[in-house]
Amino acid sequence: MKILLISILFSLLAATSRGEDLGKSIAETFGYPHERLTVSDRSSEYSEKSKGDYLYVLQLTSEDKTFAYTELAISKRGVMLKPELEKHYESNLGDGSGPIKKFELADGGYGYTGVGMGGPGGSEERLLATWPERGIDLLVKIKLLRDGLAPDDSLEDYQTLVTEGGQILDEKLIGSLNQLAAYAVAENIGAPTSARPKPKATRPDARANLGASTQPASEESSERQGDQPQFPLWAWVAVGLLIAFAGVLFLKRRASAR
Amino acid sequence: MLADALTGTDHYLPLSVRVQDRTHRAYIEHQPNATSVADDGTIVGNGTVRFEAIEEEVAPNNWVTYEPPATTFSFIWDSWNVTPRILAHSPNALLLGSNWNEYAQISSDGVVQVRQRTNNSLAGGLYRFQRFGGVSTPGTTGPYNVYITARTGEQGVQAFNIADGSNGFCWLPTAEVPHSVLAESTFKTFNSRSFFIPLREPAFIGVTPGALGKYCLNFWDKTMIRHEDRWQEAIEIGDATLMTPKGVAFRSRIPNSVTLWQGGQTISLINAVPNKDFSGSSVFPLDATSDGRVLINHYSQTEANSYGFLVPIDIDEVIADQIPGSFDNQLPSPYFGGNPDLPRNGFANNPMLMATQSGQQAKLRVRVAVADPQIYVGARIRQTTAILGSASASSPVVDLTFNVPSFSKNLYDIVAGYDSNSNSALDGSEVRVVFEKTPRMDKEGYGSTANLQFIDKVIVVDSDQATWARTELVAGSIAPGAEFTGDLAQAFVQGSTTVPDATTTPTVPITSSQPGLSHPLGAVWNPAGEANTHRFTFGDGSPASDQVETSHALEQIVGKIITLNKTALLSAHPGTDEYITSGYITFTNEEKNFNETDPEELPGGIPELGFAFGKVSISGTIRVSYKKSGSFLFVGSVEAIGSFDDLYDFAWGTGGWAQTGAIVQAAHATLASSTYPQSGKVFFTRLEFNSGFVNTWNGTF
């Protein structure tokens, strides 16, 4: 029993660690030093709050308020990208020159950029996508409040990026979404699939949004992770069990040595 | 009496002089050929101190008894072709004048006035105010701000402050300060006036901040000798230095002799050998040497009219000329920000946000420190050198226009320089000064340490940007789920005076300095900075009001008020096991930031209260239905009635979607669309709530 509990603990720690890695990786995508970041996995809380609609929620913050609150979320399909919202986005795509743009993911996934909203008190930049094959919606959002970010000259590039927005920010958001989607596959969130999503543009304007500067890096990252064998939760549990077993043996031997 | 002051036969001049009544005055009789200079630089002469009875009583102020701190002191020996006379003196200063038709008064507070003897009217002219030897101690004998009015037709307004031991005077062109401005009762301080510093005058004076010391930092705390219209250094020990806060152009009468100095450097004055001969003549144009030092050159007496001007190249104000006749949008600001620990202490409109009048052409009014046709002001993109547009500073306020790139969020430097190559434009290489006048501190006076690259820059919204911003704002505002947040945003973008679930108050005054208004934009201000707008009131029962009633913000307020009044509530309860209702308990200006108290419940949600209102001050009353048990208060239900007022405007610094709102606001009036001409107009909002008795906040306290 003790061994089982220890093994579960190990597996949870491993999952948390991977969540932190995801958060840090995304911070680096935006050019923010991840060591100054606080990564909070709020999946359980939001899952309970939403009665299971939310599958994964990761919040990124910094204590010194130099980082814009960033949230990554995976929900069941239709929870975040509600049908009426999707309809609204579709009807406002126009000729592609407007603020809302659509991009596609592999395996039937697609998403929208330029769907931010807010008011004088604050606003959010959002990238919202859905992946029907896995039955999930994905959200990456950055929240900016009226008081602004705490000034830090060493973070000028990052702060300019998130406050001024535009195409480069869209590229970074898509890069983050890539990582979130890869995480969904690695953690087996949503329905299983054989292939990892790979964003691709559907129109020239959307392709421009994906951006040359970040796309190769994220693609390379995706490919590298995609080539690796999947490492589902049960595998982590097994590893945890082995380590725990070894640990118990080690402790017993030390005790007998005394 | 007066003669008692004269003892011995050989004296430094002037001797200790005591004027004990108002019927006599002292003067020094100049004997030029008998003058020499002592080793310590003191001018020694065999002149005679004379006293003379004055014909009429000097009214209305009494003379001040003078007793110098020492028996010897340096003084300005003036050769104005007349005998210098002591016109007035104070405990540590002496005024020498040239005209017996005038007299001077030093009032008990140290103010000197020069008046015509014939009619007691204020006179003017060239007067020298010389500090006696020894440094006066500020606060012990002063401070004495000494002002001498200018006589019509004379060039010269002189201002002194002897509190810090400095002396000298600066000179203002008559055109800048007409005599009428300097009326009898007007003692001017020259906080922001343009001025020239002609070399022919000892125009280098250490004065109090806010007077002329803005540009002259105790430049020449030494004695000068004047010959005709020129001055030369008479006494000097060691180098004098001038710290130029900004760029300075020295332009002499010698053609093409302009020398430019970059601001902020210390310029050493290499001392010329003093010509101690009063009859000698020299002038000292200043030339910058290759290492930035300033050499004082000697010119022959034949160049009698050779003198130069030190012309500060500086910008005092940058004013957005977006809406004709409205100049409320300007820099510098009272403070900046840039404090990493207190990011909320920044000034929202620095950098200054503005829009073009149309298309890509930005218009600014630039107030320069000194008008000079060869000084040019211009604009450039920050971190670049190319000048986008420039204009001659031939007048103190310069109209500057320049084209901005379409659809950019550039920060623009406003710069000034000297048109050295006379091509009637400011070239990038000619820039000497980048405008920065806002104090590097935050709202509470803490120093600015970050974001200084943004201080006193200008952001210009162009027409393409405005069109795009309106589209983006509409797309976000009409998204399903945005509800009243979206309604308000849509009303803002479209300039609508109606919003669902809200009533409109059509005419509400607003000023450009309205608290909470991040940028003085979003209205057409009249010259007094006033405009009218409207107010949307979300009454009780509206969706917005309902959200407030169920908000954590109100929950916190109710909890706080009950806790604060717990003792009174307990004592008011009869002790029975029954609920009673309290009287109304008032709360005022409870600050709440909905973004902190009421974020979205779930990641896909929209924090409407936070977006629409942000931080507000809520006032109102509550009544509590409660019973008590010992020291515990059991709250069964609470009635909360209240309201808050807010201003709907966007701050550029928020960034993101809200920055897009700021663009729309900046575009109001000049770049609004024909479909929605009132687009981007700021307005007030008000929210009222009356929960009735509900058990939302019940619990034990």
Side-chain angles (χ1 to χ4, degrees), chain B residues 34-99:
Chain B
T35 305
S36 63
V37 176
D39 292 341
D40 64 356
T42 304
I43 301 173
V44 181
N46 292 324
T48 303
V49 177
R50 294 186 184 279
F51 301 91
E52 181 180 279
I54 55 177
E55 288 86 355
E56 70 269 29
E57 186 172 284
V58 178
N61 296 321
N62 293 334
W63 287 54
V64 175
T65 298
Y66 157 67
E67 188 163 17
T71 54
T72 64
F73 53 89
S74 304
F75 74 105
I76 296 172
W77 191 273
D78 205 303
S79 54
W80 290 336
N81 301 319
V82 292
T83 302
R85 305 179 190 280
I86 301 171
L87 291 185
H89 38 76
S90 73
N92 55 359
L94 174 70
L95 179 68
L96 301 178
S98 61
N99 191 342

Side-chain angles (χ1 to χ4, degrees), chain A residues 30-33 36 62 64-67 149-162, chain B residues 451 453:
Chain A
F30 287 99
Y32 188 90
R36 296 173 64 172
S62 70
D64 59 9
K65 299 188 188 305
T66 57
F67 183 80
L149 299 171
D152 187 329
D153 286 346
S154 68
L155 298 172
E156 183 182 352
D157 289 345
Y158 162 75
Q159 295 190 337
T160 301
L161 174 74
V162 296
Chain B
N451 279 359
Q453 65 273 32

Side-chain angles (χ1 to χ4, degrees), chain A residues 46 49 54 71 88 99 116-126 139 141 143-147 151 153 156 163-164, chain B residues 340 344 382 409 451 453 475 478 516 518 595 600-601 603-606 610-611 648-650 654-659:
Chain A
Y46 281 105
K49 204 183 271 188
Y54 280 85
E71 194 168 70
H88 168 72
M117 59 178 66
S123 64
E124 289 178 355
E125 297 305 304
R126 293 182 172 201
L139 170 74
K141 75 177 179 188
K143 184 180 279 190
L144 296 160
L145 301 182
R146 186 178 180 100
D147 292 329
D153 286 346
E156 183 182 352
T163 56
E164 295 198 355
Chain B
R344 296 176 182 178
R382 184 176 75 97
K409 292 186 177 180
N451 279 359
Q453 65 273 32
I478 61 175
S518 296
N595 284 305
E600 60 271 41
E601 288 291 315
I606 300 171
F611 283 172
Y648 198 90
D649 88 310
F650 289 89
T654 306
W657 197 85
Q659 192 173 83

Side-chain angles (χ1 to χ4, degrees), chain B residues 488-521:
Chain B
L488 287 170
Q490 196 170 353
F492 176 77
V493 177
Q494 298 179 346
S496 170
T497 54
T498 59
V499 161
D501 304 313
T503 57
T504 304
T505 305
T507 305
V508 183
I510 184 173
T511 67
S512 59
S513 57
Q514 174 74 34
L517 183 64
S518 296
H519 310 280
L521 297 165

Side-chain angles (χ1 to χ4, degrees), chain A residues 38-49:
Chain A
T38 300
V39 181
S40 308
D41 187 335
R42 309 286 296 275
S43 304
S44 303
E45 178 187 339
Y46 281 105
S47 175
E48 186 180 343
K49 204 183 271 188

